[in-house]
Amino acid sequence: MHDLVIRGGLVVDGTGTEPRAADVAVDAGRITLVGDVTERGRREIDAAGRLVTPGFVDIHTHYDGQVTWDPLLTPSSLHGVTTVVMGNCGVGFAPVVPEQRHWLISLMEGVEDIPGSVLAEGMTWNWETFPDYLDAIDTPHAIDFAAQLPHGALRTYVMGRRGGDHLARPTDEEMERMRDLVAEAVEAGALGWSTSRSAVHKTSNGEPTPSLTASREELTGLALGLAKAGGGVIDFISDFMDEPEEMEFVSAIVEAAQRPMSVSIVQSDRAPDKWRSLLDGLSEISAKQNIPITGQVAPRAVGVMLGWELSWHPFMAYPSYAALADLPREERVARLRRPEVRATILAERPVTDSEFVERLSTRFDQVYLLGDPPNYEPGPNESVAALAERNGVAPAVVAYDAMMECGGRGLLYFPMLNYAAGNLDAVREMIARTDTVPALGDGGAHCGAICDASFPTTLLTHWGRDRKAGGLFPIEWLVKRHTVDTAAVVGLLDRGQVRAGYRADLNVIDFDRLQADRPEVLYDLPTGGRRLMQTASGYVATVVAGEIVFENGEHTGALPGRLVRGAQPAPDAAGAS
């Protein structure tokens, strides 16, 4: 008798081949048979009329703190994700000494919008070194998780206070120690090392990320740590403001490490075509050095949610709103509901020196009603400005009243990146390239502004079923992109396929019902911290290591997920097939 049998589903196996009707048998956490399974299972799932896919592998998350208190790792696990990789963007919590904890919290809070009080109270901090951290988080969870060594934490651990200053340069002795700690982390199970050279990344006090202007010598020195360990990958983020110089840095890092790299790529309004030259340049370096360099791209716009409860909304710089901003939510909403308060606020103009806040407050042609279910490719006629024109009112009136809906919990949608032309044509081109993978969902981060951990669901629904303009992709190709392809980028070759010998990480999906639900604000983090949560409909079952962990969006109580330590060989290489 098999441990589990999934019967009669349409298997989309992760390799990109056409779906086929088949049963799937599972034993001891591995897939043992795909085809006609005659033997019964101790547990069986009727998958008739449903898709059976590998579990999704999300390589860009920020659960570094949440992993210590949340065994479910939501919202990612609610969207068919069975493996997450954290420690991206050069931020994280190890290695660390006690006096540096507050600073690392400030860095994570500023870069990833995770409340500092939540991190301070939620984490046990029973670690110092990166191997200590891996041991501390190596506890049962619903899904698998893996970690990367963050440059910001490493730098401050070795250099002390100087390490927090991006202009400071490590001494030769400090550089040698950082290189050795990179090797130590990889040997202990880190998937690699991450760094950020983005000016957008700042601490909660507005200080630049420590690695912003790290020298070529520092970056190549850390890369030599990977070479010393003989493993690991590089997660690289840059604004590429000086594109030729940054490309030289990329080339030097990859050459020193002799290890694969992934680079975050988005489209900005200011340079809407630059992403193409970046990917082309990275591909040239990859071909020249014969080392994979992959672009991490988003399958939809990177969109900010706007609402009275959230970090951003159009009225945050209005003087009369500022007087109410610190009131408890219920009292604040009650005041905002008063006609005289509404009239006073709507008669004002924003007072701000922030270009971003000014844009939120005035560019209503770029702000949309979110909808239920959410519409992630709204057209120009669906903007707040267009709705206001049709109704003969000011755009601010439409925005204000929309946020007052649902008891003051109404949400607006501002596509901040990947939407320069007011559509997702550029995104379609990005995800169609062979040198990219879908990523950048930032699960666990941006608690008060962004809810993009639902990217895997959007990838299937929008690009495999719903998009009206610009064409769709075959569902088998989309599944491959977020399973086999993403897993390969970080060296996890034992998962991502519905084939004998592979890990039994699986989804059973009612594709007709599949959708990302409307986001909502919850206060379920430690200390009652706020976060955006987005569930999904249509995931009939999610299986991890052969155990059913979610059924119709509800946790079964099973916690088979574990810390993945280092790269994992394909089943044939491990002798498991």
Side-chain angles (χ1 to χ4, degrees):
M1 179 173 285
H2 297 291
D3 292 342
L4 174 68
V5 176
I6 301 173
R7 291 203 179 275
L10 190 64
V11 174
V12 187
D13 68 8
T15 66
T17 58
E18 286 190 17
R20 65 187 177 104
D23 306 325
V24 179
V26 173
D27 295 284
R30 296 273 172 177
I31 297 167
T32 50
L33 179 61
V34 181
D36 185 10
V37 178
T38 57
E39 192 174 348
R40 301 296 299 173
R42 293 182 179 85
R43 179 75 191 272
E44 298 207 358
I45 298 174
D46 180 3
R50 280 118 181 217
L51 303 181
V52 179
T53 76
F56 304 129
V57 179
D58 190 339
I59 64 172
H60 196 111
T61 76
H62 293 280
Y63 290 114
D64 309 70
Q66 188 175 330
V67 73
T68 67
W69 70 73
D70 176 18
L72 303 188
L73 297 180
T74 57
S76 291
S77 58
L78 302 176
H79 291 271
V81 174
T82 54
T83 303
V84 296
V85 179
M86 56 195 187
N88 292 281
C89 303
V91 294
F93 301 112
V96 63
V97 293
E99 56 267 28
Q100 295 167 348
R101 293 171 183 170
H102 179 76
W103 192 88
L104 290 185
I105 287 174
S106 171
L107 180 60
M108 181 68 81
E109 181 177 22
V111 173
E112 303 299 341
D113 188 26
I114 303 173
S117 59
V118 167
L119 296 169
E121 296 298 322
M123 289 190 291
T124 58
W125 292 106
N126 55 334
W127 62 81
E128 176 177 329
T129 67
F130 198 81
D132 290 342
Y133 173 70
L134 294 182
D135 290 342
I137 64 175
D138 194 358
T139 59
H141 285 69
I143 63 177
D144 277 9
F145 52 99
Q148 299 170 105
L149 176 69
H151 191 172
L154 174 65
R155 203 172 197 269
T156 52
Y157 181 71
V158 171
M159 297 173 61
R161 279 192 165 187
R162 289 172 43 251
D165 179 1
H166 68 97
L167 297 175
R169 296 290 176 252
T171 65
D172 291 345
E173 292 77 13
E174 290 168 337
M175 195 63 255
E176 183 177 357
R177 189 177 180 211
M178 283 198 285
R179 181 198 65 204
D180 290 343
L181 289 177
V182 170
E184 176 189 71
V186 171
E187 289 163 358
L191 286 189
W193 151 68
S194 72
T195 189
S196 169
R197 298 173 62 76
S198 173
V200 175
H201 288 171
K202 300 178 184 293
T203 70
S204 59
N205 297 322
E207 302 166 6
T209 190
S211 53
L212 176 64
T213 59
S215 67
R216 176 178 175 144
E217 290 73 23
E218 180 175 344
L219 295 171
T220 54
L222 296 178
L224 288 172
L226 297 182
K228 179 181 180 182
V233 297
I234 306 156
D235 173 62
F236 187 85
I237 290 181
S238 172
D239 295 331
F240 288 99
M241 298 303 293
D242 188 339
E243 186 173 336
E245 182 178 354
E246 289 295 282
M247 286 296 181
E248 289 179 8
F249 274 36
V250 168
S251 182
I253 294 167
V254 171
E255 183 177 16
Q258 291 295 296
R259 300 299 306 165
M261 173 186 281
S262 65
V263 181
S264 298
I265 301 290
V266 294
Q267 180 198 47
S268 71
D269 288 358
R270 291 183 175 179
D273 296 319
K274 186 175 182 178
W275 64 269
R276 289 191 187 89
S277 66
L278 293 179
L279 283 173
D280 289 345
L282 295 172
S283 290
E284 288 177 12
I285 296 170
S286 177
K288 182 178 180 180
Q289 301 209 20
N290 197 29
I291 297 173
I293 302 178
T294 307
Q296 293 190 27
V297 300
R300 67 179 191 235
V302 177
V304 175
M305 302 292 154
L306 310 176
W308 299 121
E309 293 183 272
L310 299 178
S311 299
W312 308 94
H313 61 75
F315 304 99
M316 56 191 301
Y318 283 51
S320 294
Y321 176 80
L324 309 176
D326 293 331
L327 294 176
R329 195 200 81 85
E330 295 298 333
E331 183 179 350
R332 182 158 34 97
V333 169
R335 295 275 193 95
L336 291 167
R337 195 174 284 119
R338 294 179 183 175
E340 67 276 15
V341 173
R342 176 180 180 275
T344 299
I345 292 175
L346 290 174
E348 295 177 342
R349 296 285 298 169
V351 179
T352 179
D353 57 3
S354 166
E355 181 181 346
F356 181 69
V357 174
E358 176 76 18
R359 186 177 171 190
L360 290 182
S361 303
T362 59
R363 292 299 307 273
F364 288 109
D365 58 319
Q366 298 177 346
V367 177
Y368 305 84
L369 306 189
L370 182 62
D372 187 10
N375 177 10
Y376 289 115
E377 193 173 11
N381 64 331
E382 299 170 274
S383 71
V384 167
L387 290 172
E389 184 175 359
R390 288 200 294 272
N391 293 326
V393 297
V397 171
V398 174
Y400 191 105
D401 292 345
M403 292 196 302
M404 291 305 301
E405 293 179 359
C406 303
R409 295 178 183 269
L411 298 177
L412 302 173
Y413 179 57
F414 170 52
M416 184 174 61
L417 298 167
N418 290 355
Y419 217 66
N423 58 51
L424 294 179
D425 288 351
V427 170
R428 188 183 195 284
E429 189 177 340
M430 287 183 195
I431 61 177
R433 292 179 61 126
T434 58
D435 54 0
T436 68
V437 292
L440 306 182
D442 277 351
H446 303 294
C447 299
I450 296 172
C451 198
D452 285 346
S454 59
F455 276 176
T457 302
T458 295
L459 185 71
L460 294 188
T461 56
H462 192 73
W463 297 107
R465 187 190 67 198
D466 296 339
R467 193 175 195 235
K468 301 299 187 291
L472 302 175
F473 292 106
I475 194 68
E476 60 268 24
W477 184 85
L478 292 170
V479 169
K480 177 180 182 291
R481 298 295 278 150
H482 224 314
T483 55
V484 167
D485 292 351
T486 48
V489 169
V490 291
L492 300 182
L493 306 183
D494 63 336
R495 62 201 66 206
Q497 297 188 41
V498 186
R499 294 175 60 194
Y502 281 78
R503 275 183 58 90
D505 296 345
L506 302 159
N507 285 311
V508 180
I509 300 171
D510 185 339
F511 191 52
D512 291 337
R513 288 198 308 116
L514 186 65
Q515 71 174 36
D517 299 328
R518 182 182 182 276
E520 60 179 330
V521 179
L522 300 182
Y523 294 85
D524 63 344
L525 296 178
T527 72
R530 171 203 62 183
R531 65 168 170 163
L532 275 162
M533 171 58 65
Q534 188 171 26
T535 59
S537 302
Y539 289 101
V540 176
T542 296
V543 177
V544 172
E547 294 190 46
I548 302 171
V549 292
F550 287 94
E551 288 185 291
N552 296 308
E554 297 295 327
H555 182 226
T556 64
L559 298 173
R562 295 293 186 273
L563 171 69
V564 183
R565 290 184 184 260
Q568 302 295 313
D572 285 341
S577 179

